[in-house]
Amino acid sequence: MSRIQQLSTSVINKIAAGEVIERPASVVKELLENSVDALSTRIEVDIVAGGSELIRIVDDGEGIHPDDLLLAVASHATSKIRQADDLFGVQTMGFRGEALASVAEVSRLRIRSRQADQTHGMELTVNLGDIVPPKPCGCPLGTQIEIRNLFENTPVRRKFLKTMSTEFGHIHEQFTRVALANPRLHMVLRHNDKLVAELPASDRPIDRLRLFFGGEITDDLISVESTQSGVRMWGYVGHPNQSKSSRKHQYIFLNGRWITDRSLLHALTEAYRGLLMVGRQPVAFLYIELPPDRVDVNVHPTKVEVRFQDSQQLFRQLLSMVRSKFLSMDLQSQLRLPATTGSNGGLLSGFTQPEPRARTEQRELTEQISSWLAEKIVPGDSSTAAAATGFASTTYASPGAPALAEPWMIGRTSEGSRTGNLFDSAETVAVAHAVDPQHTLPLAGSDETEPEFRSISEEVPAAMGQSAAIEAVRETIKSLPYASAHRAMQVHDCYLIVETPEGVTVIDQHALHERIMYEHLRTRVLAGAVESQRLLVPQPVEVTPREAALLLEQNESLQRAGLGLEDFGNGTLIVTSYPAMLRKLDLQELIREMIAKLEDGGSAGVQSSARRDILDELLHMMSCKAAVKAGQRLSQEEIDSLLMQRHLVDDAHHCPHGRPTALSLSRMELDRQFGRLG
């Protein structure tokens, strides 16, 4: 049996090279980080043959002291830290002091460097680990490092390098990460003597993003920022209508260092939940600034993974920052027509987005109606003014429009079964729900409308005293901004077309109804107010023992959504109850889809975050199954009711699965396409 022996320095460095230097791009990363730490303002990178023949990096930084040149290629020699405690407050990109030693062991390395107080520079050469004594040389301020024939003495490693273009692609990605993290650096990249990128210094990170990714991406970026408990997050996230098939366009920088963190990436994904199609990934460029003693960067050989002191706080902050920004915006997708060939043709470069409406309109309408009623109908009468104020605070409707059907009844009422009535109780409750999301809607066909809402519809007309007063109210509402509604038409029993002040909007009836259903279901679940309807005869569902175990493990989440499930034995589960608002739900199909989702998720369901995901998926399924379908004819009353309820949810622009609910075509674009613009 072999005896234990001490390895030589050469072998140790080769092992370290295997950990740190995976490919030429790894060398470029380490050297660029050294240049950043040297406070450079300009860095030039020259690559030949994908980095296998030559990597040259020149900076104008502080340079290396002549007496330190030999230490620069020694193992674990560094100017960044002095003692172990310094590892918990690292403020530089590098700190281990092993990169140059590892590179020098597997390549032909030359370093030239001069500091500002030196009249000449010094040159050090290392050939495959053999050090040539330093000698004076002429060179500008800063440091120049050349690496030739990488992996020359490790042919196996060299054999496993990919094609020249592939290796350069990895180098370009490392260059991109450093450039995005340091927009104030002037950076140049060349490959085989051809200029690939020259990036002038800029105080605006968005300028650098535009140079790398073009206007197609950067023009749709949304600025975000948040500061909490000493942690500042800022950057840019992509509009939901702009998504990718992978995470390649997601960049997170921590104190100037590109990192990858599963928790933060998950928070980003959660922020876009319901706004993107399944399998699509958002675009994001996020920067995090926090005290260095609250993060450990010494947990990965290449320092791309870190360990946060409080990762949950960062998760919540990122999620809240992006979600809050989206809730304050109008995310409606804009329809762009192909360019015409006429003299007036051409694709309109941009569209004017309609301002966010729901919250502002509700507040303005409420305040103006309340003021009008209190002052003009029965001036000085406190009881009448109180009733008027109550009416205004819970009523938001368009005069002449039909009463709002409960969202789960759209598509299931007979034509003409509902009549237009400004004071219809169901409409009043729906409007109250928009003003105060804590209020919930009554069940279809139920008389159990909440008392304060029921009293409004009964008492307000009585308080006014005369039908003429009611008509006066309606006339006043007509004169208020945003109070009018355009009639919509249904085409192909699938889409609704409606005129808007900005142009024309095309709405997917299923996607919109699905979003409305989801919002109402979610509100009820969070309030613990889901009404369940027990089945007189429980419905059996045949499953395997594994499937039964998966479902029963999530029984708590299922019950919160109003779905009762019990084990009947012999490979059978029975559905004992279902949400009363979803009367035509296909329970068999729902259970089957639920099993498929659980099997995809594995055993992670025991975690609270996974339970939340399961519940959310269940709500997605329920709302999808219960919503009106493409190909289903709607009455005019149902169409108008659906459009009215569009303003009662937080995000009516996307269905829960991320598909857009509507596309807008501006009046200017229509005029351009028909040659009406001069």
Side-chain angles (χ1 to χ4, degrees):
M1 183 176 179
S2 300
R3 300 287 298 275
I4 298 174
Q5 59 181 341
Q6 180 69 49
L7 296 177
S8 67
T9 301
S10 177
V11 174
I12 292 173
N13 286 339
K14 284 186 173 66
I15 293 174
E19 295 176 348
V20 179
I21 311 303
E22 178 187 359
R23 61 194 336 145
S26 306
V27 176
V28 173
K29 171 186 178 296
E30 297 292 338
L31 298 185
L32 284 175
E33 289 181 349
N34 284 345
S35 295
V36 171
D37 287 340
L39 305 180
S40 305
T41 60
R42 181 185 179 95
I43 303 175
E44 297 189 19
V45 182
D46 284 275
I47 306 296
V48 175
S52 62
E53 293 186 12
L54 172 67
I55 297 173
R56 180 192 298 120
I57 295 185
V58 181
D59 67 53
D60 62 353
E62 295 177 332
I64 304 173
H65 192 279
D67 296 341
D68 295 341
L69 209 54
L70 286 173
L71 286 174
V73 294
S75 299
H76 304 296
T78 179
S79 62
K80 314 296 175 57
I81 61 174
R82 290 290 182 268
Q83 54 192 5
D85 289 344
D86 294 342
L87 290 172
F88 302 102
V90 174
Q91 302 185 43
T92 55
M93 296 298 101
F95 54 86
R96 293 186 182 134
E98 59 181 346
L100 281 178
S102 300
V103 172
E105 196 67 43
V106 294
S107 68
R108 300 184 181 275
L109 171 70
R110 186 179 70 176
I111 302 176
R112 289 181 173 180
S113 186
R114 180 167 76 89
Q115 292 190 318
D117 60 350
Q118 303 292 321
T119 59
H120 61 272
M122 294 293 292
E123 177 181 309
L124 174 67
T125 301
V126 184
N127 294 313
L128 305 176
D130 294 331
I131 298 177
V132 177
K135 62 181 180 180
C137 70
C139 66
L141 291 176
T143 302
Q144 173 184 305
I145 298 181
E146 285 187 4
I147 297 166
R148 296 181 181 273
N149 302 329
L150 185 63
F151 301 133
E152 180 180 340
N153 58 344
T154 53
V156 175
R157 295 292 300 277
R158 192 174 181 90
K159 177 182 177 182
F160 279 93
L161 291 179
K162 304 300 181 182
T163 63
M164 181 176 67
S165 59
T166 299
E167 294 299 338
F168 181 73
H170 289 289
I171 291 173
H172 188 273
E173 178 61 23
Q174 294 294 345
F175 179 86
T176 300
R177 293 169 182 173
V178 174
L180 294 182
N182 302 275
R184 291 184 176 88
L185 270 177
H186 187 133
M187 300 188 68
V188 181
L189 175 64
R190 303 182 188 88
H191 187 218
N192 295 336
D193 295 327
K194 292 183 179 179
L195 181 65
V196 176
E198 180 159 5
L199 313 172
S202 174
D203 291 330
R204 287 165 31 94
I206 192 69
D207 293 338
R208 183 143 294 183
L209 290 174
R210 184 171 284 106
L211 290 174
F212 274 109
F213 302 100
E216 183 179 354
I217 287 180
T218 55
D219 288 348
D220 281 339
L221 291 179
I222 300 167
S223 176
V224 292
E225 185 173 5
S226 169
T227 302
Q228 294 180 16
S229 304
V231 178
R232 179 176 180 244
M233 287 187 183
W234 61 278
Y236 308 90
V237 295
H239 191 284
N241 66 9
Q242 183 182 77
S243 62
K244 303 294 179 180
S245 59
S246 69
R247 294 188 182 273
K248 288 184 178 179
H249 284 72
Q250 294 176 8
Y251 290 82
I252 299 178
F253 301 96
L254 170 66
N255 295 340
R257 182 195 310 275
W258 179 86
I259 64 167
T260 177
D261 183 84
R262 293 179 63 184
S263 177
L264 294 177
L265 292 175
H266 181 55
L268 182 64
T269 301
E270 286 296 302
Y272 280 81
R273 179 185 286 272
L275 302 178
L276 297 180
M277 293 287 288
V278 175
R280 304 295 293 178
Q281 295 292 336
V283 174
F285 306 92
L286 299 175
Y287 299 80
I288 303 174
E289 300 169 7
L290 83 168
D293 60 355
R294 294 168 63 176
V295 59
D296 184 1
V297 298
N298 189 33
V299 297
H300 191 272
T302 61
K303 304 181 287 289
V304 297
E305 295 181 11
V306 299
R307 183 181 292 118
F308 293 106
Q309 190 178 79
D310 188 355
S311 60
Q312 284 301 308
Q313 180 210 332
L314 296 177
F315 179 95
R316 292 190 297 268
Q317 185 174 346
L318 195 159
L319 178 62
S320 173
M321 175 182 69
V322 179
R323 265 296 179 182
S324 298
K325 185 68 175 182
F326 287 165
L327 289 174
S328 68
M329 298 177 59
D330 184 352
L331 297 177
Q332 182 164 289
S333 300
Q334 292 290 329
L335 182 62
R336 299 175 184 265
L337 295 179
T340 58
T341 56
S343 59
N344 294 327
L347 183 64
L348 192 63
S349 60
F351 296 90
T352 302
Q353 289 275 12
E355 296 180 359
R357 299 176 55 184
R359 298 287 183 260
T360 303
E361 294 170 13
Q362 291 159 8
R363 183 173 61 254
E364 291 179 358
L365 194 59
T366 295
E367 291 173 354
Q368 294 186 57
I369 294 178
S370 177
S371 174
W372 192 91
L373 290 175
E375 295 178 5
K376 295 196 174 183
I377 296 182
V378 189
D381 187 329
S382 59
S383 62
T384 304
T389 303
F391 167 77
S393 66
T394 54
T395 304
Y396 173 57
S398 296
L404 290 178
E406 292 85 344
W408 43 89
M409 291 301 292
I410 293 176
R412 296 177 187 162
T413 57
S414 57
E415 277 195 49
S417 62
R418 301 184 65 86
T419 58
N421 178 3
L422 186 61
F423 302 107
D424 183 271
S425 60
E427 179 180 16
T428 305
V429 176
V431 173
H433 174 79
V435 176
D436 182 0
Q438 296 301 317
H439 291 305
T440 55
L441 303 184
L443 294 179
S446 170
D447 293 329
E448 297 180 1
T449 305
E450 295 188 27
E452 63 268 32
F453 299 149
R454 189 168 59 246
S455 64
I456 291 169
S457 61
E458 296 171 353
E459 295 175 8
V460 170
M464 293 180 180
Q466 298 180 6
S467 59
I470 298 175
E471 292 301 320
V473 172
R474 287 179 171 148
E475 290 302 318
T476 301
I477 293 175
K478 289 179 182 179
S479 67
L480 295 176
Y482 315 122
S484 61
H486 297 282
R487 303 285 278 185
M489 62 178 290
Q490 185 183 33
V491 295
H492 299 299
D493 292 344
C494 182
Y495 300 103
L496 308 178
I497 300 179
V498 61
E499 175 189 349
T500 67
E502 295 81 20
V504 174
T505 297
V506 182
I507 297 170
D508 184 327
Q509 65 186 35
H510 171 74
L512 176 57
H513 194 209
E514 183 181 356
R515 166 55 72 175
I516 294 171
M517 292 288 297
Y518 170 76
E519 293 282 352
H520 284 299
L521 276 168
R522 185 172 180 274
T523 299
R524 283 186 169 240
V525 167
L526 293 177
V530 177
E531 297 283 348
S532 291
Q533 175 66 55
R534 291 195 65 84
L535 290 166
L536 185 62
V537 178
Q539 184 169 338
V541 181
E542 293 185 0
V543 294
T544 66
R546 167 179 158 75
E547 293 171 343
L550 283 173
L551 282 171
L552 293 174
E553 186 180 0
Q554 303 299 329
N555 214 9
E556 181 183 345
S557 298
L558 299 178
Q559 288 176 354
R560 287 187 64 190
L563 195 63
L565 208 61
E566 295 180 10
D567 187 3
F568 193 66
N570 297 323
T572 302
L573 294 176
I574 56 172
V575 181
T576 59
S577 60
Y578 65 94
M581 63 182 71
L582 307 179
R583 298 182 176 182
K584 294 187 177 181
L585 194 63
D586 188 331
L587 297 175
Q588 287 268 1
E589 185 179 359
L590 179 67
I591 296 298
R592 292 296 174 195
E593 288 196 15
M594 195 66 202
I595 290 172
K597 288 291 183 183
L598 288 172
E599 287 180 332
D600 290 341
S603 59
V606 297
Q607 302 173 1
S608 59
S609 60
R611 284 199 297 270
R612 253 191 334 266
D613 293 344
I614 292 298
L615 181 58
D616 205 46
E617 286 288 349
L618 180 59
L619 298 184
H620 285 179
M621 293 180 201
M622 286 182 171
S623 56
C624 182
K625 302 302 179 188
V628 295
K629 302 296 187 291
Q632 184 172 348
R633 171 69 64 176
L634 301 180
S635 68
Q636 189 62 52
E637 287 77 9
E638 289 168 337
I639 293 173
D640 292 341
S641 180
L642 185 61
L643 295 179
M644 289 291 292
Q645 294 183 70
R646 188 181 178 206
H647 300 290
L648 305 185
V649 295
D650 288 332
D651 177 22
H653 309 299
H654 300 83
C655 79
H657 299 99
R659 292 190 299 110
T661 62
L663 296 174
S664 293
L665 184 62
S666 71
R667 170 64 187 272
M668 186 179 295
E669 176 66 6
L670 285 171
D671 289 344
R672 181 179 294 277
Q673 292 295 327
F674 283 102
R676 290 184 175 274
L677 295 180

